[in-house]
Amino acid sequence: MAASNKFSRRDFIRSASLGAGALALGPALSSFAIAEKKKLGIALVGLGSYSFGQLGPALQHTKDCYLAGIVTGTPAKAVTWSKKYNIPEKNIYNYENFSK
């Protein structure tokens, strides 16, 4: 006995709509894939043990992100982090100026 393949009109319309949508979005999705190659800059606010032991080191190993800036209330930490992670001075903030 042959298995019955019930492919309703609703199933056909759903499949055809998905296919048409994929064709229509093809160019937009391919341009999005090109933009995907850019890395996302991350700023860490507060350079305590979580940032120091987890987040900072992890950002050195990501392919899609990089440590772009820091916010700290301790000038000595700003110097240390700047050297270790090659953060430009323009991307180092304190709690008085980080919202500007």
Side-chain angles (χ1 to χ4, degrees):
M1 183 189 237
S4 100
N5 186 2
K6 292 186 178 182
F7 194 67
S8 70
R9 192 174 7 183
R10 181 174 288 166
D11 293 333
F12 172 77
I13 291 171
R14 183 180 302 128
S15 296
S17 298
L18 288 173
L23 287 173
L25 291 175
L29 292 176
S30 66
S31 66
F32 179 73
I34 292 169
E36 202 175 309
K37 294 183 185 215
K38 292 182 181 179
K39 287 188 168 192
L40 176 65
I42 303 293
L44 295 179
V45 179
L47 304 180
S49 62
Y50 185 56
S51 291
F52 179 77
Q54 298 288 321
L55 298 175
L59 285 168
Q60 290 184 309
H61 300 289
T62 62
K63 65 178 183 175
D64 299 322
C65 304
Y66 70 99
L67 183 56
I70 55 173
V71 179
T72 182
T74 309
K77 285 184 181 179
V79 172
T80 302
W81 279 67
S82 175
K83 288 179 184 175
K84 183 173 183 174
Y85 295 103
N86 197 28
I87 301 170
E89 191 168 329
K90 68 180 181 123
N91 294 353
I92 299 174
Y93 297 91
N94 59 44
Y95 293 108
E96 286 78 40
N97 69 5
F98 81 98
S99 64
K100 295 178 183 181

